Amino acid sequence: MKQRIVVMNGQRLLQTHEKGQWNVTNVEKAGVNFEPGVYNLYLAEAADTTEPHAGLILHTDKEYVYQQQGEDVVRHDRSDFGIVPEHGTFRSISY
């Protein structure tokens, strides 16, 4: 299932791609750390556990924690966290 975050007008929309179109599944305030744009979660690469990762936490779900690193998005296994970081916060993650 493809997912993305769309940030516009101070809102953070979680969208899921189904049957050829994007459907909004959740809407909430974006917060001050999100810049307007489209963050394609489905293009996220698995985080390299040999390197530290620093950046904005974009989203968390049952399986992953998605983090923006530069122009890219990386995903961390949620099971690697005792306390899952909140989206909209900047974190440095090392293994």
Side-chain angles (χ1 to χ4, degrees):
M1 165 175 57
K2 291 183 178 179
Q3 286 186 314
R4 70 181 183 185
I5 301 290
V6 177
V7 178
M8 62 182 176
N9 300 325
Q11 300 295 312
R12 177 183 172 275
L13 290 76
L14 176 63
Q15 296 182 332
T16 304
H17 192 261
E18 297 174 15
K19 299 178 184 174
Q21 66 182 17
W22 288 100
N23 299 306
V24 176
T25 56
N26 189 22
V27 178
E28 55 190 36
K29 291 198 180 284
V32 297
N33 293 326
F34 279 98
E35 293 195 21
V38 177
Y39 303 90
N40 293 310
L41 302 178
Y42 66 94
L43 296 177
E45 304 245 342
D48 181 356
T49 57
T50 63
E51 296 183 18
H53 299 277
L56 179 68
I57 302 298
L58 298 173
H59 181 67
T60 59
D61 61 22
K62 293 178 184 177
E63 296 179 52
Y64 300 109
V65 173
Y66 296 90
Q67 183 180 33
Q68 183 180 20
Q69 188 167 26
E71 295 294 316
D72 298 323
V73 177
V74 296
R75 70 176 186 265
H76 306 273
D77 289 329
R78 185 177 174 139
S79 61
D80 291 337
F81 296 88
I83 298 174
V84 178
E86 291 185 38
H87 66 269
T89 59
F90 287 94
R91 293 285 186 253
S92 179
I93 299 172
S94 298
Y95 293 88

